[in-house]
Amino acid sequence: MLNKKTIEDIDVKGKKVLVRCDFNVPLDREDKSVITDDRRITEALPTIKYLMEHGGRVILCSHIGKTKDKQSLAPVAKRLSELLNREVPFASDVIGEDAKAKADSLNDGDVMLLENVRLHPEEEANDPAFAKELASLAEVYVNDAFGTAHRAHASTAGVADYLPAVCGYLIQKEIGVMGDALNNPQRPFLAILGGAKVSSKIGVIENLLDKVDGLMIGGGMAYTFAKAQGGRIGKSLCEEDKLDLALSILKKAEEKGVKVYFPVDTICAEEIKADAETCVCPTNDIPDNLEGLDIGPESVKAFVDAIKEYKTIIWNGPVGYSELDIFANGTISVAKALAENKDAITIIGGGDSAAAVEKFGLSKEMTHVSTGGGASLEFMEGKVLPGIACLLDK
Ligand code: ADP
Ligand code: MG
């Protein structure tokens, strides 16, 4: 599917290989040296191990947090050392003396990690001088950071101006699975879209409407659709300036013969809190003092039954305020229904949806849980990702 060169298309023996990973792992709020979820590190291991086993001199780099956080990647160096069962030297800078000295002392099959590339504001600015300096550490560039592939930063795209550039296994896997689903799906094909806002999902809805057979709408965005159709939605989330858009999406779906699943009932509460009193209301008739925060029992049943019928399912956005247990039933039920549909290709894109599936312990039951929230969203919008566009064509 992916027409870009991969690490298997190049010879890395004896070469210094700069590898951009997505080691932007969550850290414990109190103790910033503790990694609370190392999935992004473990997902990078196949590429790292391949390069080491093939005699590359591997120089890893990544960002962590925002530029203003000035967070060190030291906890990642430690975790990588544990996972690879060998000391991973950690440079205290990115393009400074320490980075250069450590890179020069690598032998074939060795690996090291540079400090957080976002310690330099030039990273996000995609500054050419910075990109060139970073590139000068190596002879080959491998991008395996799917999570930042939608950003044109110095280490995710800029360096490819100065080095032969290919992708690693993670990017290959992400693009392969999602690209196949989008371009050549097993039918019928269902998209489940939720989350807070219609506005953040417009691009995805529009791109997917041309491809899917079914569209399931849940989450906060459902109320904009309900209001657009004349419903009464109380204090529920609503984007007043998207009412016309909601109607045009429904019209387009009808014209294209896409079956739309809409939650008929809703779990409501007066406010968003863990011990709120809840009740069930029709989604188009919510009292003024209440807010819709999850799909109701009838909708859960309808959604779960419908999910069984599909062979490809892409899910982006929780169908309720799933951070709180009392509003998580819809999202858990949808996640379980996907997990139980073993005939289907099931793909989770979107950071919050992936986190929800992980929290319910169902990640392993899905065909693919994307490591890139924003990147998977842009990919599903049909956009070109700069971190992939910059790589050599096959
Ligand atoms: P993803 O990251 O999977 O793409 P989004 O970021 O679009 O998902 O949306 C996730 C957020 O939407 C969560 O914080 C969730 O609480 C919120 N959300 C879902 N349903 C509702 C609702 N009915 N009211 C308010 N917020 C909601
Ligand atoms: Mg999100």
Side-chain angles (χ1 to χ4, degrees), residues 316-351:
N316 196 304
V319 296
Y321 196 97
S322 59
E323 292 94 329
L324 290 185
D325 290 346
I326 52 168
F327 307 120
N329 180 52
T331 303
I332 293 177
S333 304
V334 166
K336 279 191 183 151
L338 257 62
E340 279 162 19
N341 185 344
K342 294 296 175 201
D343 295 334
I345 308 279
T346 49
I347 297 174
I348 318 298

Side-chain angles (χ1 to χ4, degrees), residues 80-271:
L80 261 176
S81 302
E82 290 162 5
L83 289 166
L84 290 171
N85 228 341
R86 62 186 278 170
E87 173 72 16
V88 176
F90 178 54
S92 59
D93 50 30
V94 184
I95 50 168
E97 290 309 315
D98 196 32
K100 285 176 185 158
K102 287 203 164 71
D104 282 339
S105 65
L106 292 173
N107 291 312
D108 293 5
D110 281 351
V111 61
M112 64 172 286
L113 174 66
L114 301 177
E115 190 39 293
N116 178 5
V117 287
R118 285 197 190 165
L119 292 181
H120 291 263
E122 298 94 324
E123 161 67 4
E124 289 192 86
N126 196 4
D127 178 76
F130 175 71
K132 192 174 180 186
E133 195 68 21
L134 184 59
S136 75
L137 292 173
E139 294 145 278
V140 180
Y141 169 66
V142 174
N143 190 9
D144 210 22
F146 182 72
T148 43
H150 59 315
R151 305 283 185 224
H153 294 167
S155 71
T156 63
V159 287
D161 286 344
Y162 308 99
L163 292 173
V166 303
C167 70
Y169 287 129
L170 179 59
I171 283 195
Q172 197 183 358
K173 181 172 86 173
E174 293 266 9
I175 300 291
V177 178
M178 292 196 283
D180 281 351
L182 290 180
N183 301 319
N184 191 18
Q186 284 188 53
R187 294 194 180 273
F189 178 12
L190 173 71
I192 307 173
L193 297 176
K197 292 180 171 174
V198 187
S199 53
S200 65
K201 301 283 156 81
I202 294 169
V204 182
I205 298 178
E206 288 186 337
N207 191 37
L208 292 182
L209 266 183
D210 287 329
K211 304 177 187 293
V212 297
D213 305 293
L215 174 66
M216 212 169 252
I217 297 172
M221 71 159 88
Y223 308 100
T224 300
F225 282 89
K227 180 153 186 190
Q229 295 174 93
R232 182 175 163 234
I233 61 165
K235 295 194 295 181
S236 308
L237 272 187
C238 180
E239 289 171 278
E240 297 287 343
D241 60 337
K242 297 291 177 289
L243 297 174
D244 289 343
L245 180 85
L247 286 180
S248 78
I249 288 170
L250 294 175
K251 186 159 164 264
K252 197 170 162 193
E254 196 183 341
E255 283 163 10
K256 290 186 177 291
V258 174
K259 189 165 168 52
V260 175
Y261 302 86
F262 193 77
V264 291
D265 57 351
T266 283
I267 305 284
C268 297
E270 271 193 52
E271 53 184 321

Side-chain angles (χ1 to χ4, degrees), residues 262-334:
F262 193 77
V264 291
D265 57 351
T266 283
I267 305 284
C268 297
E270 271 193 52
E271 53 184 321
I272 302 176
K273 56 175 190 179
D275 58 352
E277 210 173 295
T278 62
C279 63
V280 181
C281 301
T283 305
N284 60 9
D285 194 12
I286 299 174
D288 293 343
N289 62 328
L290 297 181
E291 181 174 1
L293 291 161
D294 192 11
I295 58 173
E298 240 186 273
S299 310
V300 167
K301 190 173 178 312
F303 280 20
V304 166
D305 281 347
I307 285 169
K308 292 179 187 150
E309 308 298 321
Y310 285 85
K311 292 276 192 302
T312 300
I313 305 169
I314 284 183
W315 182 18
N316 196 304
V319 296
Y321 196 97
S322 59
E323 292 94 329
L324 290 185
D325 290 346
I326 52 168
F327 307 120
N329 180 52
T331 303
I332 293 177
S333 304
V334 166

